[in-house]
Amino acid sequence: MVFVVLFSTMSFTVDMHYCGGNLVDFSFFTKAEGCGMEKAQPVKSCENPKMAEKSCCSDQQIVKEGKDDLKISFDTLSFEQQTFIATFTYSYINLFEGTESEEVPFEDYPRPFVKRDVQVMYQTFLI
């Protein structure tokens, strides 16, 4: 679940360099390096007429923007929602507090008198 939230809120950019329709280089953090053909000067002869018309290299960039709407501000909540969150937080924190009193409330009362031990007599024990 953590990875889903992390990858849905994270934004990244993929930069790719194609030469002649083939992927030459890609990069996640920096600009993709070229193959060197985009720097070549077009020759004005019959040897390479395609290069004079247009370059065979192209750059493509894919940008994935992260979502910022998962972060809810406490100011945008209604009064009832704020009251519920405050009450829930207070009760959850106090749930794990221990009792400090070592008082036993039934200490002053005598134990009941047992004439005979029925469980031992009939050998019926709860397991």
Side-chain angles (χ1 to χ4, degrees):
M1 187 70 165
V2 172
F3 291 113
V4 172
V5 173
L6 177 70
F7 287 121
S8 67
T9 58
M10 186 174 71
S11 54
F12 62 92
T13 303
V14 178
D15 197 25
M16 297 177 285
H17 179 78
Y18 289 95
C19 186
N22 295 328
L23 179 64
V24 176
D25 189 27
F26 71 95
S27 176
F28 287 109
F29 302 109
T30 60
K31 185 168 172 51
E33 295 179 11
C35 58
M37 291 191 64
E38 64 272 356
K39 297 177 185 174
Q41 297 291 330
V43 179
K44 295 189 178 187
S45 67
C46 294
E47 295 174 12
N48 198 353
K50 287 186 177 180
M51 194 163 180
E53 294 173 4
K54 71 174 195 174
S55 175
C56 66
C57 297
S58 65
D59 290 325
Q60 185 178 6
Q61 191 176 36
I62 299 172
V63 178
K64 192 324 189 149
E65 292 292 331
K67 296 180 182 178
D68 292 334
D69 58 352
L70 294 177
K71 189 176 183 181
I72 298 174
S73 175
F74 194 71
D75 299 334
T76 60
L77 298 175
S78 68
F79 179 71
E80 290 83 14
Q81 291 171 337
Q82 290 178 4
T83 306
F84 173 75
I85 290 173
T87 307
F88 179 77
T89 306
Y90 179 75
S91 63
Y92 188 76
I93 289 171
N94 289 333
L95 181 66
F96 297 109
E97 287 185 2
T99 57
E100 297 175 6
S101 67
E102 297 290 329
E103 182 180 318
V104 181
F106 52 86
E107 191 173 283
D108 297 332
Y109 300 105
R111 296 169 58 189
F113 179 72
V114 180
K115 293 183 181 177
R116 52 189 162 177
D117 197 0
V118 178
Q119 282 86 13
V120 175
M121 192 166 84
Y122 293 113
Q123 294 186 0
T124 55
F125 306 101
L126 295 176
I127 296 177

